[in-house]
Amino acid sequence: MGAIFISYRREDSEGHAGRLYEDLAERFGKEAVFFDVSAIEPGQDFRHAIDANVARCSVLLAMIGPRWLEAGTPAARRIDDPSDFVRLEIASALKRSIPVVPVLVQGAKMPAAGQLPADLSDLAWRNAVELSHARWASDVEVLAKSLARHVGAGGGAAAPARGGSRRTALIVGAAAMVAAGAGSAVFLVRPDPSPPPSPAPVPADAGERARIAALIAQMNDAEITQRRSATARMLAEHRQSPVAVGLAVDQLSEASFQRLGKEGRVNVLTFLVESDLSVWTAAQRGEAMAAVARIHGRLAAGQGSLGPQIVELLRRLDARLEGGRPAS
């Protein structure tokens, strides 16, 4: 029997994770859903504990809410900390080629590879599902059907119930490992007897996406030479790339735009204004227009200020997307 591991940040999506646990536990049984595994016994190596528990599951759901990427402080994001539990959980699954499904809640967007630490960059290429409040039941039903092949029928050792401490889960896990070493067949979650699923194929444009994501990050670099060089390359080499447009549009999301410095905002907006409009998808246009409208709304409400150069670039971008006055 396989099991589902739910990874989440308490301050970001605890309520949604608990709700999803209840729904999946009702469908597959509590023994098939691994939830809330963070408190570690004193003296125990939490890296090994997390790795051992993730290894006992056949699929990991990475719950991503609006603060999943930005949790922490502006100077020190938690995701950048090698000891961050969420990072360790997801990195362990990716390392083991365990399927990882990003689950977006509260309107969250998928992070780009360039926004993630190296050991999580593959997460950006995983196909995500969205759970919305209005369509929760139907969205969960679609997700559950896709998870069914990872979770066989039948029972198994009990996984911790919702609200149970991760300490309990890890004590049970440690006992299982000790018993296994003594020749017993006791496990926290029995491994799926079927062959493990093949790793998801790497998209053909993965290399291009990684290079462009690196350039976009450099467009916000503290070093002026790096910023200028990256922006010049983006305009010279990628203005007709839908991949580049998509990654640049991602920077207009509320969290990403707030993180950009003045020069980074100017550079990203300049690229979007000067990109080839014919390669934009309808979804990219809609996302960019919504982002520009949100930024203008915040400005009108007095929730911040932007320099005249950025305001003008936003106006020119909006005019292009609306089919109005040309950008030049």
Side-chain angles (χ1 to χ4, degrees), residues 194-245:
S194 60
S198 301
V202 178
D205 64 353
E208 179 189 7
R209 293 181 69 91
R211 289 190 295 272
I212 294 172
L215 285 175
I216 290 177
Q218 291 171 15
M219 288 165 69
N220 191 47
D221 197 276
E223 169 54 48
I224 187 171
T225 304
Q226 289 277 10
R227 293 199 306 268
R228 288 178 174 175
S229 174
T231 304
R233 286 190 59 190
M234 284 287 290
L235 291 171
E237 302 172 12
H238 302 294
R239 71 173 71 220
Q240 293 183 317
S241 166
V243 174
V245 169

Side-chain angles (χ1 to χ4, degrees), residues 144-161:
K145 287 180 179 178
S146 70
L147 294 174
R149 69 186 183 92
H150 298 291
V151 185

Side-chain angles (χ1 to χ4, degrees), residues 110-305:
M110 274 296 293
Q115 297 175 295
L116 298 168
D119 56 355
L120 295 190
S121 61
D122 282 353
L123 179 67
W125 317 125
R126 304 300 166 121
N127 193 29
V129 299
E130 182 177 2
L131 301 184
S132 64
H133 178 74
R135 303 186 309 273
W136 182 271
S138 59
D139 288 346
V140 170
E141 179 65 18
V142 171
L143 174 61
K145 287 180 179 178
S146 70
L147 294 174
R149 69 186 183 92
H150 298 291
V151 185
R162 179 176 178 233
S165 73
R166 299 192 178 187
R167 174 181 302 176
T168 303
L170 291 169
I171 291 174
V172 175
M177 287 187 283
V178 171
S184 171
V186 178
F187 296 94
L188 178 63
V189 177
R190 291 199 300 272
D192 190 341
S194 60
S198 301
V202 178
D205 64 353
E208 179 189 7
R209 293 181 69 91
R211 289 190 295 272
I212 294 172
L215 285 175
I216 290 177
Q218 291 171 15
M219 288 165 69
N220 191 47
D221 197 276
E223 169 54 48
I224 187 171
T225 304
Q226 289 277 10
R227 293 199 306 268
R228 288 178 174 175
S229 174
T231 304
R233 286 190 59 190
M234 284 287 290
L235 291 171
E237 302 172 12
H238 302 294
R239 71 173 71 220
Q240 293 183 317
S241 166
V243 174
V245 169
L247 291 174
V249 168
D250 288 344
Q251 299 303 303
L252 299 183
S253 70
E254 186 166 7
S256 296
F257 198 71
Q258 289 295 325
R259 192 173 65 253
L260 291 173
K262 174 186 174 182
E263 293 81 3
R265 293 173 179 178
V266 168
N267 293 338
V268 167
L269 288 168
T270 297
F271 170 77
L272 290 173
V273 166
E274 298 189 15
S275 64
D276 186 342
L277 198 57
S278 68
V279 304
W280 285 60
T281 67
Q284 289 168 347
R285 289 189 184 216
E287 186 175 345
M289 291 174 66
V292 171
R294 185 191 66 250
I295 294 170
H296 282 313
R298 290 176 65 87
L299 292 175
Q303 298 177 351
S305 62

